[in-house]
Every structure is written in structure tokens, then in C-alpha cells.
Amino acid sequence: MLLKLITAAALVLAAPAPSPAAAESVWLTKYKALEAQIGHAVYTDPNSANLAWGESYIMRSYLDAYAVTQDTSWLDKVVTHADTVIGNADDLDGDGFHGWSTAQYSPVELANPSFESATTGDATLPASWTRFQDTGSHVHRTTDTPGGTGTQSVRVVSDLTRWKKLRQNVNSSYEGGSRYLLRGWGKKSGSVTGRVVLRNGSATICSLDYTTTTWTFKQTTCTLPTGGPTLTVWLEHASYTVSGSASFDEVKLSGIFPYMVHDAMIGIPIAEFVRLVARTPALSAYAAKAGTYRAFLETEVVPRWEQSAYLGNTWNGTTWRQPPNIDTFSHTGTANDLPFNMPLGFANLLLVLNEVNGDATYLSRAVKVGQWAKANLTDSGGAYVWNYGTYTTKKEDLSHANVDLSAFVEFHRRGQVFTGTDMTAFKNTLKSRMWNGSTTAPAFSLYVDGTGAANGVDYFLHSWLELTEFDRQVWTLASTKYTNFTGTNASHLITLSRLLRWE
């Protein structure tokens, strides 16, 4: 037995040292491969939704990669991306504060924009739309669609004699004086030019022209007039004296508004870079950049949510709410509270900045939000369960919970609001409520109470992986899921960087 042990030890000692390539973590290899594919795919996009739910993860993953490798090339990527993202910040509402905006979450001011519903008694006429100078022979629904947009579109055929059009008045609750995005699919046949036109009476506000015979998506921005005039969207030809037809689908008009959660998500990795540089004397070469970023966050992004004359003060003394001056979410909503992920994301941003600037108001606001969120957690057998928001019984989902957990972990590390016992309860949420119990094929539920099939969303585990600090099995389960999995998006990328960081 002793001889066998000696022999085995001799074999270990005699083995050659691994080459640098062989020594590289499998997670770093996977991370590099995916980053090479998607790392530059989003940061030039000014759309705040894509920046928040894509680019923010990419930038945070660069900070993870630097933390493990100490390779400053990852920080150089942060700088390249942050410079561009900040350069694309807008002040579309003219309130004097720059940030980011999107039309993806605002109310669509046209009913039945996809033409899927028909008018009662006339299957050829889309509901909520009205024909102009036609009874159905030249303006009607059709099953020729761009694909992926439903089963119906509309077609307007020229008769060379008079205008044939389809129209709908814009919802009267639109926000006058705001920038709106008019968009839709279209194509033409014959000699006509298809046109989507937004008009105030006979005055054109903005329009889209379709001149190709294949389905094309187009969009344009315009400022809607104040005073509540009746606006109308028309689907028509540029001229009725030429032959052919124009087809339209997914015709929408939506306001371009800022959203607190987007400003927060985009701002967090930038603030984390500022904090990293402040903490690390060896990174003094980045100090000037960090100072510029800090000034932007502190003078533009943070104050807009309390000082903007356009949005109104969104702070209610306990948490942030929907903007009181404009309706950015729904014309039918009855609650002013935001989903938990939105104020928690902003609290996360303030916590990081407070560590750099020591601003007591930042910390006070964040702590109140943390206390508000904690008061809405339910202890279920030692695991925390919570809703998506105070105004709904729908449980928080695994993906949005990443935003919540990022804030909860930041609170805990700062010694604020959330204790080690709370962190154990969040760990139990994942393991005792959401995990299927398999160590070889682990899967997690869609909702934090253990219900719903995640159907692939349970690969979005980056903030859940922070709970590895309290239970190593969290990392083991995530690593098992990713061992034979090839990631494709930014949520996968940051999960790989967290697997690397917690390895």
C-alpha cells in the first residue's frame, strides 16, 4: 500500500506543468467565445430597452472578467462601450436631463394595429378601422403577412379613379408635445407607393413610404401637437392615378419615453466601473474617464427622476413611482407603483454611487426602497416569495428577479437592510422552491414560488449565482446547466462571467 502511494505521488510530481492555454478556465474559454460573437452587438443601439436588457449585462460581464484575470483589456472594452452609450444618451423631452429612451413599453395609440380582429358583420374590414371611399372591393384584410406578425394584414388597391384608404383616429390620451415613433411593415405592387401618414386634419405630421415589392419595416419619429387635436393615421397610396396595391401590417404609434429601470440598468455597470477605479490605485490611468462617467450619472441620470419638469417628481417618500406628469405605461392602469425590479434597480445604482460620493440622500433613498421591498417579501418555509409588484398577485419571475437580487446582494454587502439570514432565505427560494431537485439535469421554475416552466429562461442565472457566497451548490447547479450549453445572448454571457468569477 505504501509503495502504491509513493508511486502515485511520484507520478503527480513528475507530470509536466500545464501550458497557459490548458490552464485557462473552461468558463473563461466559453465566455471569450460568446463575447467574440455578441460583445459588440448592442452598445451602439440608442434604444434603452436593448441597452438595459443586453448591453448592461455585457458591460457588467467585462468587470467580472477583469476581476478574475486582472487583464485591463476588459476595462478598455468597458470604456469603449460606456463612451458610446453615454454619447447616445438623449434629451428628447427637453427637460434638460440626458438619459435613454424607447417606444417599446409605451401604450400603442392605435387599436388592432395588426388587423387580427375583424369588424362584426364584415370579416374583410379590420376592427377599429374605417374605410374611405370604399365598401370592401379595394380595401380589405388579407392573409399575406411579413411572417411572425400574425395571420392578417390589409391591402389597399388603386382603382385609378379616386382615393382608396383606411384610417383610424389616434387615442385621445396621447401625450402632446412628446416624441412618438410611427412604425410598420409595408410593401407595394405595380406602380403605386404605399404610404402610412399621421395627420392633424389635412396637415401631415409624419409619414412612411413603401416602394418595394417585398415586405419592409420602416419607422420615423415626430413630435405630436399639444392641445389634444384629433389625429388620424391613414393607410393609402401616394397617388390614386397609378395602378397597383399597397399592403400594411403592424402599424403602430407609441411614445418615446425614458424608463427608470433602463437608466438604472445601463448606469449600474458604469457606476461599478467608477467604484472599481476609486477603490484601485493601480487603475489611476482610468481616473479621468471614471470622473466623466460619475459626473454624467450624478448630474443627468439620477436627478431626472425627481427634478424633471417633463416627468415630474417620481419619489413619494418611500419608493419611486410612475411619472406623475406623463403616462409612459398604460392609459388604463390604476396603480402608481412600479414593479419591484424598477425601483430596486435604481436603488442598486444609488448604492454603488454612494460608496464613491458618500451622498447621504443616495443612501437614504436606496435604504427606504430596500425596506419597502423587504416588507413585501413573504417567508414561506424559510424561503422568500414575492410578487412582481405591489399591485398584482403574479409572482416575481426568475429573469426579473436577477434585477431584484442584484440590489439585495448590494444591500447586504453594504450592511444595509438585508442580513445573512435574508440571503439564506433567497438561496432557499432557488433551491427549495424553484429547483427541480436534479443534480444531473437541474432546471428551475419560472416563478419564485416554484410554479411555471421557465423554458430556457432558467439559463438567466447571473444574480442568482451571487448566492454562491451562501451555498456552494448554487454554483454547482448552474455550472452543470452550462457545461454542455452554448450561450447565445447577453444574459448567457454574464452568467458565464459569474460562473468564472465564482469558480
Side-chain angles (χ1 to χ4, degrees):
M1 181 64 178
L2 179 59
L3 178 60
K4 290 181 179 180
L5 289 173
I6 293 172
T7 302
L11 288 172
V12 171
L13 291 172
S19 67
E24 181 172 284
S25 164
V26 63
W27 304 114
L28 183 56
T29 301
K30 283 177 170 284
Y31 173 80
K32 286 180 176 179
L34 182 55
E35 193 280 329
Q37 296 176 31
I38 69 170
H40 298 283
V42 187
Y43 77 101
T44 59
D45 188 343
N47 185 318
S48 70
N50 296 333
L51 292 174
W53 305 110
E55 176 58 25
S56 74
Y57 295 153
I58 293 172
M59 285 195 288
R60 292 189 89 177
S61 79
Y62 291 156
L63 295 170
D64 289 338
Y66 169 76
V68 174
T69 65
Q70 297 295 291
D71 182 349
T72 57
S73 67
W74 297 113
L75 299 184
D76 294 338
K77 287 178 179 284
V78 174
V79 169
T80 297
H81 287 221
D83 282 350
T84 302
V85 168
I86 291 174
N88 284 333
D90 63 62
D91 182 21
L92 292 180
D93 49 46
D95 64 357
F97 297 105
H98 285 74
W100 302 276
S101 56
T102 184
Q104 286 182 219
Y105 295 90
S106 59
V108 175
E109 308 295 2
L110 295 171
N112 194 26
S114 303
F115 316 111
E116 294 299 299
S117 300
T119 298
T120 302
D122 184 356
T124 68
L125 177 64
S128 302
W129 294 83
T130 302
R131 293 188 182 98
F132 178 75
Q133 298 189 154
D134 189 65
T135 59
S137 58
H138 291 80
V139 180
H140 52 81
R141 297 164 82 216
T142 174
T143 58
D144 176 20
T145 67
T149 61
T151 62
Q152 298 288 322
S153 66
V154 291
R155 182 171 294 154
V156 179
V157 182
S158 173
D159 74 350
L160 304 179
T161 302
R162 58 181 181 170
W163 291 110
K164 302 291 182 179
K165 304 182 182 184
L166 194 65
R167 67 185 178 189
Q168 183 183 150
N169 288 343
V170 172
N171 189 315
S172 61
S173 296
Y174 71 84
E175 299 288 346
S178 295
R179 295 285 289 176
Y180 272 71
L181 183 70
L182 178 67
R183 60 201 186 276
W185 289 88
K187 70 174 183 175
K188 66 105 174 198
S189 68
S191 301
V192 305
T193 292
R195 180 169 290 171
V196 176
V197 188
L198 174 63
R199 291 192 176 98
N200 177 12
S202 60
T204 295
I205 298 173
C206 54
S207 63
L208 304 168
D209 283 0
Y210 296 92
T211 58
T212 64
T213 57
T214 57
W215 283 107
T216 304
F217 179 81
K218 290 192 173 185
Q219 61 184 28
T220 189
T221 62
C222 50
T223 300
L224 301 197
T226 57
T230 299
L231 306 182
T232 305
V233 168
W234 296 81
L235 310 183
E236 59 184 43
H237 302 148
S239 170
Y240 66 79
T241 61
V242 295
S243 62
S245 67
S247 299
F248 307 95
D249 201 7
E250 292 285 323
V251 178
K252 297 180 179 180
L253 179 71
S254 303
I256 306 172
F257 301 128
Y259 292 88
M260 169 173 276
V261 68
H262 294 169
D263 276 8
M265 296 282 285
I266 300 163
I268 286 170
I270 298 173
E272 288 177 334
F273 173 84
V274 172
R275 180 173 64 179
L276 173 66
V277 173
R279 284 176 172 178
T280 314
L283 297 178
S284 60
Y286 295 96
K289 281 292 182 185
T292 299
Y293 299 161
R294 174 183 163 183
F296 178 80
L297 294 173
E298 292 177 352
T299 62
E300 302 284 350
V301 174
V302 173
R304 86 191 293 199
W305 295 99
E306 294 187 29
Q307 300 174 26
S308 167
Y310 175 75
L311 296 169
N313 184 2
T314 66
W315 177 253
N316 69 1
T318 300
T319 184
W320 293 285
R321 57 177 177 167
Q322 295 188 39
N325 290 1
I326 60 169
D327 195 349
T328 62
F329 286 98
S330 168
H331 295 316
T332 59
T334 58
N336 288 324
D337 276 0
L338 295 169
F340 285 117
N341 71 86
M342 296 188 180
L344 282 170
F346 207 72
N348 192 346
L349 172 63
L350 294 193
L351 282 171
V352 177
L353 286 173
N354 166 261
E355 194 168 347
V356 177
N357 63 21
D359 190 307
T361 300
Y362 283 24
L363 182 60
S364 173
R365 293 280 196 272
V367 166
K368 286 182 179 180
V369 171
Q371 292 168 337
W372 167 73
K374 186 173 180 177
N376 283 281
L377 300 173
T378 298
D379 188 328
S380 177
Y384 278 147
V385 173
W386 66 104
N387 295 337
Y388 179 71
T390 59
Y391 52 86
T392 180
T393 58
K394 186 181 79 168
K395 301 306 175 188
E396 180 63 290
D397 63 85
L398 179 148
S399 180
H400 286 98
N402 280 293
V403 183
D404 306 345
L405 285 166
S406 178
F408 296 153
V409 170
E410 187 68 36
F411 275 116
H412 173 68
R413 290 174 181 165
R414 292 292 305 279
Q416 300 288 343
V417 185
F418 291 91
T419 66
T421 300
D422 295 321
M423 295 298 104
T424 297
F426 289 124
K427 177 266 295 184
N428 291 340
T429 300
L430 184 71
K431 288 187 58 181
S432 67
R433 299 304 298 265
M434 302 174 71
W435 177 35
N436 67 352
S438 172
T439 57
T440 56
F444 303 98
S445 63
L446 179 60
Y447 299 107
V448 296
D449 65 347
T451 63
N455 295 325
V457 176
D458 59 339
Y459 284 94
F460 301 176
L461 292 167
H462 54 278
S463 290
W464 294 98
L465 269 164
E466 298 294 271
L467 301 175
T468 300
E469 180 178 348
F470 309 97
D471 188 332
R472 183 66 187 172
Q473 193 178 25
V474 172
W475 184 90
T476 302
L477 295 174
S479 66
T480 300
K481 283 187 70 66
Y482 270 77
T483 294
N484 296 310
F485 173 72
T486 301
T488 58
N489 60 45
S491 291
H492 299 150
L493 186 70
I494 189 173
T495 302
L496 286 171
S497 73
R498 295 288 162 86
L499 283 167
L500 171 65
R501 185 157 62 82
W502 283 102
E503 185 178 21

